[in-house]
Amino acid sequence: MLPQDQTLHIALVGTPNAGKTALFNTLTASHQRVANYSGVTVESAEADFYLPSGTRATLVDLPGAYSLRPYTDDEGVLAHALKQNNFDALVIVVDATQPERAIRFLVEVLDATDRPAVVALNMADLAQARGFELDLKKLSARLGVPVISTVAVKKQGMLELPEAIESAMDSRRRVKGALLGKKKEHLTPKEVSHEILAFYKKADEILKEVLKKKGRPDTQSARIDYFVLHPVWGLFILMLMLGITFQLMFNLADYPMKFISQSFDSMGNYINAMHELPEMLRSFLADGVIAGVGGTLVFLPQIIILFSLILFLEDFGFMSRAVFLMDYWMGKVGLHGRAFLPLLSSYACNIPGILATRAIETRRDRIITTMIIPLTTCSARVPVYTLLIAAFIPNTNVFLGIKLQGLVMLGLYAVGALSAFIAGAVFQKFFLRGKRPPLLIELPSYKWPSLLSLGKGLVYRAELFVKRVGTVILALTVLIWVLVSFPKAPEGAPHPVEYSFAAKLGHAIEPVMRPLGFDWKISMAMIPTFAAREVMISALSTVYAVDDVDKSKKEEKLSELIKREWSLATGLSLLVWFIFAPQCISTLATVKRELQSNKWVVIMVSYLFVLAYAAAFLTHTIVTAIMGK
Amino acid sequence: MILNNKNYPLSDLHAGDCAEITEFKDDENRQNFMQRLYEVGFLVGETLEVMHEAPLSLDPMSIRIKDAVYAIRREDAELIQVSSVVRKSKTKA
């Protein structure tokens, strides 16, 4: 028996669409963490499970790959991990409905490492239903490792797998690289294709021996594809899906959002009523911490709804079809079809969108996609838009019950999307010339996602967001509170905020902002929004000293107030500013980490700033010219 | 019906066509892509079927090879030469 205090490190590897993540989620009951590996910029999830002897094992979910010759940053992780060879064991997940490809992958991976390994032949139920018959005993003998038939989404084989890992730990396998003899470090393309063919020859030999019966093609997926990829209905179905997704995101999220903001309000009121605490502390907790954190956490429902739909469509197999349908049109502005998913995710929050660009093959395309992601309307912009629209756009009936305010909101989304496409085209034309890399994407069989996998994927993304609230947003909130609270105004001053550090800063940058129609108060409220734009509302409330026990009343008051104080030109100019301005420190940090570059962060900030300044200036000038002062 | 025994680039095929891969064109700039094609099963002698063409643009096209379906663009499908084209649909090449 292995000692109890030792934790084994087990790498989970596999081909794409083989159900690797489902297996990860089913096998590990415990909470998943983000794992970072030396020399690898891509982070993977890890979680613990126990072997039958009681030994604890940490399973690391490495990104799926077709081979050890990486084609994307994601795929490079597997090749790198195998090269380092510092895992105690490997679990290799392959798709039982594609025995040929499965065995090719297995032959190659098992040749690249001498670690103990276990094969999970996943989706065994689908393979059986389609009539595939494989001799697992023989396969196991030929590969020299245990082969377990699994159905991860139905928890089949989840007892056998840990047993097999345990028994494999004792066995010694042949030395790595045995199949092809000594390998050179750098191979010419011709040598590489010879290598590939040598692996496949070996794999096909094994396949011939173990495949007793070949299965039927997947007719069910073909039937669904008949509609989804239909020459006429295909694009229509895609647009309908997008429409439904955004409708649900806004309508369903309404109630939980109200609930969250009311909860934070009552928490703030509760603190304010605790007169035994010193006033300073009460103000810090209620106006600083609770108001700031609550103001951001309120977007959690929107993020959860958008991501549950995206994760569902992805696991179902629809997202790669969306890439198929959109690739040609996205190519018109130099984008790769694979940029579709990152861009869609960015509508909830830019950060997961930027992380999703890892699946894009070349650095050039990753950069272009990343650079335009901040132009998508993430949910942090919505409250600012809502406030400004409510204050400056009359809610008149335009046509058949369609209101002007709703149209303007839609317009802001459209301007964002349009400018993202234009920016993409400009980046490709002037900075990152060259052709799009070829498209090669699998359209996997459709399958019902497992609820467990969806749930865990969702929790993971929600955590990313909540963590940001707990760190960046919290720190900023405290900073804002300090800036507006100190130094203290003399007793009885009518506007205490005017004596603060924030006011001095506001006056300092006012000359720059004046051409856009922003006075020192707006300038001052804008300072913290460079780190997170959603704090604009609480910053404005503080600057204008708007206060009310009821939060919705407070926003109403603020809306009334800015309507009186600002001209229409200023309001619209600020609205336009928020479409473009680079205002999220977490996004910039993510860009830096993902692209491993300061240069592109500087370029991103500069181009967005110039764009925002120019657009706001034009808006202010034009509206002033039409409306008069 | 088999059209004839001539070689065509895969990019000339349409939805419903089946064919056999005969050779690959060399392209220095797309060697990684060629490797990936081999790796997912595009090898000389394999038969493939064109499943769908994207709406309106007819590009990319989806190809069934072995037990999997892949989407590739016509400009890249040009690198793959096929013969023994079997046409199910009535449309002309």
Side-chain angles (χ1 to χ4, degrees), chain A residues 67 69 75 100-101 192 200 214 327 436-438 440-441 443, chain B residues 33 35-36 38-39 55 57 59 66-67 69-73 76:
Chain A
S67 77
R69 289 163 293 276
E75 284 197 351
E100 198 155 7
R101 189 164 86 193
V192 173
Y200 289 0
K214 208 175 149 26
D327 181 74
R436 292 197 292 172
L440 183 62
I441 186 172
L443 307 182
Chain B
F33 172 69
Q35 256 179 41
R36 185 38 53 104
Y38 297 156
E39 287 172 350
S57 55
D59 187 26
K66 298 279 183 200
D67 300 306
V69 181
Y70 297 92
I72 69 173
R73 293 191 198 116
D76 301 319

PDB file of all heavy atoms in Angstrom, chain A residues 67 69 75 100-101 192 200 214 327 436-438 440-441 443, chain B residues 33 35-36 38-39 55 57 59 66-67 69-73 76:
ATOM      1  N   SER A  67      -2.465  15.510 -31.458  1.00  0.00           N
ATOM      2  CA  SER A  67      -1.176  14.827 -31.546  1.00  0.00           C
ATOM      3  C   SER A  67      -0.181  15.555 -30.651  1.00  0.00           C
ATOM      4  O   SER A  67      -0.533  16.513 -29.971  1.00  0.00           O
ATOM      5  CB  SER A  67      -0.664  14.838 -32.978  1.00  0.00           C
ATOM      6  OG  SER A  67      -0.135  16.113 -33.276  1.00  0.00           O
ATOM      7  N   ARG A  69       2.356  17.053 -31.913  1.00  0.00           N
ATOM      8  CA  ARG A  69       2.932  18.151 -32.690  1.00  0.00           C
ATOM      9  C   ARG A  69       1.954  19.311 -32.597  1.00  0.00           C
ATOM     10  O   ARG A  69       0.987  19.381 -33.347  1.00  0.00           O
ATOM     11  CB  ARG A  69       3.136  17.714 -34.147  1.00  0.00           C
ATOM     12  CG  ARG A  69       4.261  16.705 -34.327  1.00  0.00           C
ATOM     13  CD  ARG A  69       4.182  16.014 -35.645  1.00  0.00           C
ATOM     14  NE  ARG A  69       3.002  15.168 -35.692  1.00  0.00           N
ATOM     15  CZ  ARG A  69       2.964  13.934 -35.192  1.00  0.00           C
ATOM     16  NH1 ARG A  69       4.031  13.402 -34.681  1.00  0.00           N
ATOM     17  NH2 ARG A  69       1.860  13.238 -35.230  1.00  0.00           N
ATOM     18  N   GLU A  75      -2.699  23.103 -27.394  1.00  0.00           N
ATOM     19  CA  GLU A  75      -2.161  21.763 -27.649  1.00  0.00           C
ATOM     20  C   GLU A  75      -0.726  21.619 -27.192  1.00  0.00           C
ATOM     21  O   GLU A  75      -0.281  20.524 -26.871  1.00  0.00           O
ATOM     22  CB  GLU A  75      -2.232  21.446 -29.148  1.00  0.00           C
ATOM     23  CG  GLU A  75      -3.615  21.113 -29.612  1.00  0.00           C
ATOM     24  CD  GLU A  75      -3.604  20.425 -30.965  1.00  0.00           C
ATOM     25  OE1 GLU A  75      -2.548  20.356 -31.607  1.00  0.00           O
ATOM     26  OE2 GLU A  75      -4.659  19.949 -31.361  1.00  0.00           O
ATOM     27  N   GLU A 100     -10.079   4.190 -34.806  1.00  0.00           N
ATOM     28  CA  GLU A 100      -8.882   4.368 -35.607  1.00  0.00           C
ATOM     29  C   GLU A 100      -8.031   5.522 -35.072  1.00  0.00           C
ATOM     30  O   GLU A 100      -6.838   5.384 -34.814  1.00  0.00           O
ATOM     31  CB  GLU A 100      -9.311   4.664 -37.043  1.00  0.00           C
ATOM     32  CG  GLU A 100      -8.224   4.456 -38.023  1.00  0.00           C
ATOM     33  CD  GLU A 100      -8.811   4.157 -39.386  1.00  0.00           C
ATOM     34  OE1 GLU A 100     -10.054   4.250 -39.550  1.00  0.00           O
ATOM     35  OE2 GLU A 100      -8.035   3.836 -40.293  1.00  0.00           O
ATOM     36  N   ARG A 101      -8.692   6.673 -34.893  1.00  0.00           N
ATOM     37  CA  ARG A 101      -7.977   7.837 -34.408  1.00  0.00           C
ATOM     38  C   ARG A 101      -7.524   7.620 -32.977  1.00  0.00           C
ATOM     39  O   ARG A 101      -6.447   8.040 -32.567  1.00  0.00           O
ATOM     40  CB  ARG A 101      -8.860   9.073 -34.488  1.00  0.00           C
ATOM     41  CG  ARG A 101      -8.065  10.298 -34.197  1.00  0.00           C
ATOM     42  CD  ARG A 101      -8.791  11.524 -34.636  1.00  0.00           C
ATOM     43  NE  ARG A 101      -9.692  11.960 -33.594  1.00  0.00           N
ATOM     44  CZ  ARG A 101     -10.625  12.857 -33.788  1.00  0.00           C
ATOM     45  NH1 ARG A 101     -10.801  13.393 -34.967  1.00  0.00           N
ATOM     46  NH2 ARG A 101     -11.401  13.243 -32.802  1.00  0.00           N
ATOM     47  N   VAL A 192       8.958  14.509 -40.566  1.00  0.00           N
ATOM     48  CA  VAL A 192       7.784  14.494 -39.680  1.00  0.00           C
ATOM     49  C   VAL A 192       6.672  13.663 -40.289  1.00  0.00           C
ATOM     50  O   VAL A 192       6.074  12.826 -39.618  1.00  0.00           O
ATOM     51  CB  VAL A 192       7.285  15.932 -39.389  1.00  0.00           C
ATOM     52  CG1 VAL A 192       5.973  15.876 -38.630  1.00  0.00           C
ATOM     53  CG2 VAL A 192       8.313  16.701 -38.604  1.00  0.00           C
ATOM     54  N   TYR A 200       1.232   5.557 -37.630  1.00  0.00           N
ATOM     55  CA  TYR A 200      -0.073   5.117 -38.097  1.00  0.00           C
ATOM     56  C   TYR A 200      -0.036   3.682 -38.619  1.00  0.00           C
ATOM     57  O   TYR A 200      -1.006   2.949 -38.491  1.00  0.00           O
ATOM     58  CB  TYR A 200      -0.594   6.074 -39.179  1.00  0.00           C
ATOM     59  CG  TYR A 200      -0.994   7.405 -38.611  1.00  0.00           C
ATOM     60  CD1 TYR A 200      -0.858   7.655 -37.236  1.00  0.00           C
ATOM     61  CD2 TYR A 200      -1.521   8.414 -39.395  1.00  0.00           C
ATOM     62  CE1 TYR A 200      -1.208   8.863 -36.690  1.00  0.00           C
ATOM     63  CE2 TYR A 200      -1.884   9.635 -38.850  1.00  0.00           C
ATOM     64  CZ  TYR A 200      -1.722   9.857 -37.503  1.00  0.00           C
ATOM     65  OH  TYR A 200      -2.076  11.048 -36.966  1.00  0.00           O
ATOM     66  N   LYS A 214     -16.893  -3.086 -37.365  1.00  0.00           N
ATOM     67  CA  LYS A 214     -16.918  -1.639 -37.567  1.00  0.00           C
ATOM     68  C   LYS A 214     -18.341  -1.127 -37.372  1.00  0.00           C
ATOM     69  O   LYS A 214     -19.300  -1.802 -37.742  1.00  0.00           O
ATOM     70  CB  LYS A 214     -16.451  -1.348 -38.992  1.00  0.00           C
ATOM     71  CG  LYS A 214     -15.790   0.007 -39.119  1.00  0.00           C
ATOM     72  CD  LYS A 214     -15.231   0.229 -40.494  1.00  0.00           C
ATOM     73  CE  LYS A 214     -15.272   1.685 -40.887  1.00  0.00           C
ATOM     74  NZ  LYS A 214     -15.256   2.681 -39.856  1.00  0.00           N
ATOM     75  N   ASP A 327     -17.302  31.359 -40.493  1.00  0.00           N
ATOM     76  CA  ASP A 327     -15.909  31.541 -40.914  1.00  0.00           C
ATOM     77  C   ASP A 327     -15.765  32.442 -42.135  1.00  0.00           C
ATOM     78  O   ASP A 327     -14.931  33.336 -42.167  1.00  0.00           O
ATOM     79  CB  ASP A 327     -15.258  30.183 -41.200  1.00  0.00           C
ATOM     80  CG  ASP A 327     -13.806  30.341 -41.613  1.00  0.00           C
ATOM     81  OD1 ASP A 327     -12.991  30.633 -40.726  1.00  0.00           O
ATOM     82  OD2 ASP A 327     -13.486  30.206 -42.809  1.00  0.00           O
ATOM     83  N   ARG A 436      -4.996  34.530 -43.390  1.00  0.00           N
ATOM     84  CA  ARG A 436      -5.534  33.763 -42.261  1.00  0.00           C
ATOM     85  C   ARG A 436      -4.944  32.362 -42.322  1.00  0.00           C
ATOM     86  O   ARG A 436      -4.785  31.812 -43.412  1.00  0.00           O
ATOM     87  CB  ARG A 436      -7.049  33.620 -42.418  1.00  0.00           C
ATOM     88  CG  ARG A 436      -7.818  34.877 -42.279  1.00  0.00           C
ATOM     89  CD  ARG A 436      -9.273  34.556 -42.040  1.00  0.00           C
ATOM     90  NE  ARG A 436      -9.938  33.952 -43.188  1.00  0.00           N
ATOM     91  CZ  ARG A 436     -11.157  33.452 -43.149  1.00  0.00           C
ATOM     92  NH1 ARG A 436     -11.809  33.438 -42.018  1.00  0.00           N
ATOM     93  NH2 ARG A 436     -11.712  32.959 -44.222  1.00  0.00           N
ATOM     94  N   PRO A 437      -4.639  31.778 -41.185  1.00  0.00           N
ATOM     95  CA  PRO A 437      -4.176  30.393 -41.235  1.00  0.00           C
ATOM     96  C   PRO A 437      -5.344  29.506 -41.665  1.00  0.00           C
ATOM     97  O   PRO A 437      -6.502  29.878 -41.499  1.00  0.00           O
ATOM     98  CB  PRO A 437      -3.772  30.106 -39.797  1.00  0.00           C
ATOM     99  CG  PRO A 437      -4.556  31.069 -38.984  1.00  0.00           C
ATOM    100  CD  PRO A 437      -4.732  32.286 -39.823  1.00  0.00           C
ATOM    101  N   PRO A 438      -5.036  28.334 -42.208  1.00  0.00           N
ATOM    102  CA  PRO A 438      -6.107  27.450 -42.671  1.00  0.00           C
ATOM    103  C   PRO A 438      -7.068  27.078 -41.532  1.00  0.00           C
ATOM    104  O   PRO A 438      -6.694  27.104 -40.363  1.00  0.00           O
ATOM    105  CB  PRO A 438      -5.351  26.213 -43.135  1.00  0.00           C
ATOM    106  CG  PRO A 438      -3.974  26.663 -43.411  1.00  0.00           C
ATOM    107  CD  PRO A 438      -3.711  27.777 -42.465  1.00  0.00           C
ATOM    108  N   LEU A 440      -9.272  24.189 -39.884  1.00  0.00           N
ATOM    109  CA  LEU A 440      -9.512  22.745 -39.834  1.00  0.00           C
ATOM    110  C   LEU A 440     -10.142  22.470 -38.481  1.00  0.00           C
ATOM    111  O   LEU A 440      -9.473  22.471 -37.459  1.00  0.00           O
ATOM    112  CB  LEU A 440      -8.209  21.957 -39.988  1.00  0.00           C
ATOM    113  CG  LEU A 440      -8.368  20.439 -40.019  1.00  0.00           C
ATOM    114  CD1 LEU A 440      -9.216  20.010 -41.204  1.00  0.00           C
ATOM    115  CD2 LEU A 440      -7.030  19.750 -40.088  1.00  0.00           C
ATOM    116  N   ILE A 441     -11.430  22.301 -38.484  1.00  0.00           N
ATOM    117  CA  ILE A 441     -12.122  22.110 -37.207  1.00  0.00           C
ATOM    118  C   ILE A 441     -13.056  20.915 -37.320  1.00  0.00           C
ATOM    119  O   ILE A 441     -13.715  20.719 -38.340  1.00  0.00           O
ATOM    120  CB  ILE A 441     -12.885  23.396 -36.798  1.00  0.00           C
ATOM    121  CG1 ILE A 441     -13.471  23.246 -35.403  1.00  0.00           C
ATOM    122  CG2 ILE A 441     -13.963  23.764 -37.795  1.00  0.00           C
ATOM    123  CD1 ILE A 441     -14.058  24.533 -34.866  1.00  0.00           C
ATOM    124  N   LEU A 443     -16.306  18.763 -36.683  1.00  0.00           N
ATOM    125  CA  LEU A 443     -17.714  18.928 -36.327  1.00  0.00           C
ATOM    126  C   LEU A 443     -18.113  17.642 -35.604  1.00  0.00           C
ATOM    127  O   LEU A 443     -18.475  16.659 -36.231  1.00  0.00           O
ATOM    128  CB  LEU A 443     -18.570  19.144 -37.583  1.00  0.00           C
ATOM    129  CG  LEU A 443     -18.118  20.268 -38.520  1.00  0.00           C
ATOM    130  CD1 LEU A 443     -19.074  20.393 -39.697  1.00  0.00           C
ATOM    131  CD2 LEU A 443     -18.025  21.595 -37.787  1.00  0.00           C
TER     132      LEU A 443
ATOM    133  N   PHE B  33      -0.245  22.759 -41.566  1.00  0.00           N
ATOM    134  CA  PHE B  33      -1.626  22.399 -41.868  1.00  0.00           C
ATOM    135  C   PHE B  33      -1.691  21.015 -42.517  1.00  0.00           C
ATOM    136  O   PHE B  33      -2.550  20.195 -42.183  1.00  0.00           O
ATOM    137  CB  PHE B  33      -2.224  23.461 -42.788  1.00  0.00           C
ATOM    138  CG  PHE B  33      -3.573  23.114 -43.331  1.00  0.00           C
ATOM    139  CD1 PHE B  33      -4.678  23.072 -42.502  1.00  0.00           C
ATOM    140  CD2 PHE B  33      -3.743  22.845 -44.678  1.00  0.00           C
ATOM    141  CE1 PHE B  33      -5.926  22.760 -42.998  1.00  0.00           C
ATOM    142  CE2 PHE B  33      -4.985  22.525 -45.190  1.00  0.00           C
ATOM    143  CZ  PHE B  33      -6.078  22.482 -44.346  1.00  0.00           C
ATOM    144  N   GLN B  35       0.430  18.607 -42.124  1.00  0.00           N
ATOM    145  CA  GLN B  35       0.678  17.632 -41.059  1.00  0.00           C
ATOM    146  C   GLN B  35      -0.596  17.318 -40.306  1.00  0.00           C
ATOM    147  O   GLN B  35      -0.924  16.175 -40.028  1.00  0.00           O
ATOM    148  CB  GLN B  35       1.648  18.240 -40.056  1.00  0.00           C
ATOM    149  CG  GLN B  35       3.041  17.706 -40.169  1.00  0.00           C
ATOM    150  CD  GLN B  35       3.922  18.394 -39.150  1.00  0.00           C
ATOM    151  OE1 GLN B  35       3.526  18.622 -38.015  1.00  0.00           O
ATOM    152  NE2 GLN B  35       5.109  18.754 -39.577  1.00  0.00           N
ATOM    153  N   ARG B  36      -1.308  18.407 -39.984  1.00  0.00           N
ATOM    154  CA  ARG B  36      -2.549  18.232 -39.235  1.00  0.00           C
ATOM    155  C   ARG B  36      -3.577  17.454 -40.052  1.00  0.00           C
ATOM    156  O   ARG B  36      -4.320  16.634 -39.519  1.00  0.00           O
ATOM    157  CB  ARG B  36      -3.054  19.625 -38.826  1.00  0.00           C
ATOM    158  CG  ARG B  36      -4.262  19.706 -37.938  1.00  0.00           C
ATOM    159  CD  ARG B  36      -4.376  18.680 -36.872  1.00  0.00           C
ATOM    160  NE  ARG B  36      -3.274  18.488 -35.966  1.00  0.00           N
ATOM    161  CZ  ARG B  36      -3.229  18.924 -34.719  1.00  0.00           C
ATOM    162  NH1 ARG B  36      -4.233  19.601 -34.230  1.00  0.00           N
ATOM    163  NH2 ARG B  36      -2.202  18.669 -33.956  1.00  0.00           N
ATOM    164  N   TYR B  38      -2.866  15.080 -42.192  1.00  0.00           N
ATOM    165  CA  TYR B  38      -2.490  13.664 -42.045  1.00  0.00           C
ATOM    166  C   TYR B  38      -2.994  13.138 -40.708  1.00  0.00           C
ATOM    167  O   TYR B  38      -3.533  12.046 -40.613  1.00  0.00           O
ATOM    168  CB  TYR B  38      -0.966  13.476 -42.041  1.00  0.00           C
ATOM    169  CG  TYR B  38      -0.245  13.867 -43.299  1.00  0.00           C
ATOM    170  CD1 TYR B  38       1.105  14.205 -43.256  1.00  0.00           C
ATOM    171  CD2 TYR B  38      -0.896  13.886 -44.528  1.00  0.00           C
ATOM    172  CE1 TYR B  38       1.796  14.570 -44.403  1.00  0.00           C
ATOM    173  CE2 TYR B  38      -0.210  14.259 -45.678  1.00  0.00           C
ATOM    174  CZ  TYR B  38       1.127  14.596 -45.609  1.00  0.00           C
ATOM    175  OH  TYR B  38       1.797  14.961 -46.730  1.00  0.00           O
ATOM    176  N   GLU B  39      -2.756  13.958 -39.676  1.00  0.00           N
ATOM    177  CA  GLU B  39      -3.045  13.488 -38.321  1.00  0.00           C
ATOM    178  C   GLU B  39      -4.520  13.211 -38.085  1.00  0.00           C
ATOM    179  O   GLU B  39      -4.864  12.386 -37.255  1.00  0.00           O
ATOM    180  CB  GLU B  39      -2.555  14.506 -37.294  1.00  0.00           C
ATOM    181  CG  GLU B  39      -1.054  14.498 -37.187  1.00  0.00           C
ATOM    182  CD  GLU B  39      -0.554  15.628 -36.331  1.00  0.00           C
ATOM    183  OE1 GLU B  39      -1.341  16.522 -35.973  1.00  0.00           O
ATOM    184  OE2 GLU B  39       0.627  15.620 -36.018  1.00  0.00           O
ATOM    185  N   PRO B  55     -23.821  27.904 -45.863  1.00  0.00           N
ATOM    186  CA  PRO B  55     -24.878  28.635 -46.551  1.00  0.00           C
ATOM    187  C   PRO B  55     -24.346  29.880 -47.273  1.00  0.00           C
ATOM    188  O   PRO B  55     -23.439  30.541 -46.773  1.00  0.00           O
ATOM    189  CB  PRO B  55     -25.819  29.060 -45.421  1.00  0.00           C
ATOM    190  CG  PRO B  55     -25.556  28.099 -44.333  1.00  0.00           C
ATOM    191  CD  PRO B  55     -24.129  27.689 -44.456  1.00  0.00           C
ATOM    192  N   SER B  57     -22.151  31.267 -48.913  1.00  0.00           N
ATOM    193  CA  SER B  57     -20.772  31.361 -49.383  1.00  0.00           C
ATOM    194  C   SER B  57     -20.277  30.058 -50.012  1.00  0.00           C
ATOM    195  O   SER B  57     -19.313  30.069 -50.766  1.00  0.00           O
ATOM    196  CB  SER B  57     -19.873  31.717 -48.207  1.00  0.00           C
ATOM    197  OG  SER B  57     -20.055  30.771 -47.167  1.00  0.00           O
ATOM    198  N   ASP B  59     -18.632  28.039 -48.669  1.00  0.00           N
ATOM    199  CA  ASP B  59     -17.274  27.906 -48.179  1.00  0.00           C
ATOM    200  C   ASP B  59     -17.298  28.288 -46.709  1.00  0.00           C
ATOM    201  O   ASP B  59     -17.884  29.316 -46.375  1.00  0.00           O
ATOM    202  CB  ASP B  59     -16.371  28.861 -48.984  1.00  0.00           C
ATOM    203  CG  ASP B  59     -14.907  28.678 -48.652  1.00  0.00           C
ATOM    204  OD1 ASP B  59     -14.531  27.578 -48.234  1.00  0.00           O
ATOM    205  OD2 ASP B  59     -14.149  29.647 -48.830  1.00  0.00           O
ATOM    206  N   LYS B  66     -12.998   8.877 -42.466  1.00  0.00           N
ATOM    207  CA  LYS B  66     -13.011   7.914 -41.362  1.00  0.00           C
ATOM    208  C   LYS B  66     -14.331   8.089 -40.618  1.00  0.00           C
ATOM    209  O   LYS B  66     -15.369   8.155 -41.237  1.00  0.00           O
ATOM    210  CB  LYS B  66     -11.838   8.157 -40.411  1.00  0.00           C
ATOM    211  CG  LYS B  66     -10.512   7.980 -41.069  1.00  0.00           C
ATOM    212  CD  LYS B  66     -10.180   6.519 -41.122  1.00  0.00           C
ATOM    213  CE  LYS B  66      -8.810   6.299 -41.715  1.00  0.00           C
ATOM    214  NZ  LYS B  66      -8.682   4.933 -42.189  1.00  0.00           N
ATOM    215  N   ASP B  67     -14.272   8.210 -39.317  1.00  0.00           N
ATOM    216  CA  ASP B  67     -15.521   8.313 -38.566  1.00  0.00           C
ATOM    217  C   ASP B  67     -15.786   9.728 -38.097  1.00  0.00           C
ATOM    218  O   ASP B  67     -16.572   9.954 -37.195  1.00  0.00           O
ATOM    219  CB  ASP B  67     -15.474   7.367 -37.367  1.00  0.00           C
ATOM    220  CG  ASP B  67     -15.284   5.944 -37.811  1.00  0.00           C
ATOM    221  OD1 ASP B  67     -16.090   5.482 -38.646  1.00  0.00           O
ATOM    222  OD2 ASP B  67     -14.313   5.302 -37.362  1.00  0.00           O
ATOM    223  N   VAL B  69     -16.080  14.195 -38.964  1.00  0.00           N
ATOM    224  CA  VAL B  69     -16.397  15.236 -39.950  1.00  0.00           C
ATOM    225  C   VAL B  69     -15.566  16.480 -39.636  1.00  0.00           C
ATOM    226  O   VAL B  69     -15.499  16.905 -38.477  1.00  0.00           O
ATOM    227  CB  VAL B  69     -17.895  15.591 -39.919  1.00  0.00           C
ATOM    228  CG1 VAL B  69     -18.217  16.654 -40.961  1.00  0.00           C
ATOM    229  CG2 VAL B  69     -18.747  14.351 -40.139  1.00  0.00           C
ATOM    230  N   TYR B  70     -14.920  17.052 -40.647  1.00  0.00           N
ATOM    231  CA  TYR B  70     -14.108  18.249 -40.452  1.00  0.00           C
ATOM    232  C   TYR B  70     -14.541  19.337 -41.410  1.00  0.00           C
ATOM    233  O   TYR B  70     -14.973  19.056 -42.526  1.00  0.00           O
ATOM    234  CB  TYR B  70     -12.621  17.959 -40.714  1.00  0.00           C
ATOM    235  CG  TYR B  70     -12.065  16.952 -39.762  1.00  0.00           C
ATOM    236  CD1 TYR B  70     -12.063  15.597 -40.080  1.00  0.00           C
ATOM    237  CD2 TYR B  70     -11.574  17.354 -38.521  1.00  0.00           C
ATOM    238  CE1 TYR B  70     -11.588  14.661 -39.187  1.00  0.00           C
ATOM    239  CE2 TYR B  70     -11.100  16.422 -37.628  1.00  0.00           C
ATOM    240  CZ  TYR B  70     -11.108  15.083 -37.958  1.00  0.00           C
ATOM    241  OH  TYR B  70     -10.646  14.167 -37.073  1.00  0.00           O
ATOM    242  N   ALA B  71     -14.397  20.581 -40.941  1.00  0.00           N
ATOM    243  CA  ALA B  71     -14.660  21.713 -41.820  1.00  0.00           C
ATOM    244  C   ALA B  71     -13.333  22.235 -42.342  1.00  0.00           C
ATOM    245  O   ALA B  71     -12.402  22.425 -41.557  1.00  0.00           O
ATOM    246  CB  ALA B  71     -15.376  22.811 -41.039  1.00  0.00           C
ATOM    247  N   ILE B  72     -13.216  22.429 -43.651  1.00  0.00           N
ATOM    248  CA  ILE B  72     -12.043  23.114 -44.201  1.00  0.00           C
ATOM    249  C   ILE B  72     -12.485  24.086 -45.290  1.00  0.00           C
ATOM    250  O   ILE B  72     -13.563  23.950 -45.859  1.00  0.00           O
ATOM    251  CB  ILE B  72     -10.948  22.150 -44.746  1.00  0.00           C
ATOM    252  CG1 ILE B  72     -11.405  21.418 -46.000  1.00  0.00           C
ATOM    253  CG2 ILE B  72     -10.519  21.149 -43.711  1.00  0.00           C
ATOM    254  CD1 ILE B  72     -10.253  20.607 -46.600  1.00  0.00           C
ATOM    255  N   ARG B  73     -11.640  25.097 -45.519  1.00  0.00           N
ATOM    256  CA  ARG B  73     -11.970  26.089 -46.542  1.00  0.00           C
ATOM    257  C   ARG B  73     -11.589  25.561 -47.917  1.00  0.00           C
ATOM    258  O   ARG B  73     -10.670  24.766 -48.048  1.00  0.00           O
ATOM    259  CB  ARG B  73     -11.192  27.386 -46.299  1.00  0.00           C
ATOM    260  CG  ARG B  73     -11.596  28.090 -45.049  1.00  0.00           C
ATOM    261  CD  ARG B  73     -11.013  29.490 -44.986  1.00  0.00           C
ATOM    262  NE  ARG B  73     -11.087  29.944 -43.613  1.00  0.00           N
ATOM    263  CZ  ARG B  73     -10.031  30.217 -42.854  1.00  0.00           C
ATOM    264  NH1 ARG B  73      -8.815  30.133 -43.352  1.00  0.00           N
ATOM    265  NH2 ARG B  73     -10.200  30.604 -41.611  1.00  0.00           N
ATOM    266  N   ASP B  76      -7.975  25.861 -48.984  1.00  0.00           N
ATOM    267  CA  ASP B  76      -7.068  24.856 -48.429  1.00  0.00           C
ATOM    268  C   ASP B  76      -7.360  23.471 -48.993  1.00  0.00           C
ATOM    269  O   ASP B  76      -6.461  22.638 -49.115  1.00  0.00           O
ATOM    270  CB  ASP B  76      -7.184  24.826 -46.900  1.00  0.00           C
ATOM    271  CG  ASP B  76      -6.850  26.165 -46.290  1.00  0.00           C
ATOM    272  OD1 ASP B  76      -5.886  26.797 -46.753  1.00  0.00           O
ATOM    273  OD2 ASP B  76      -7.562  26.588 -45.360  1.00  0.00           O
TER     274      ASP B  76
END
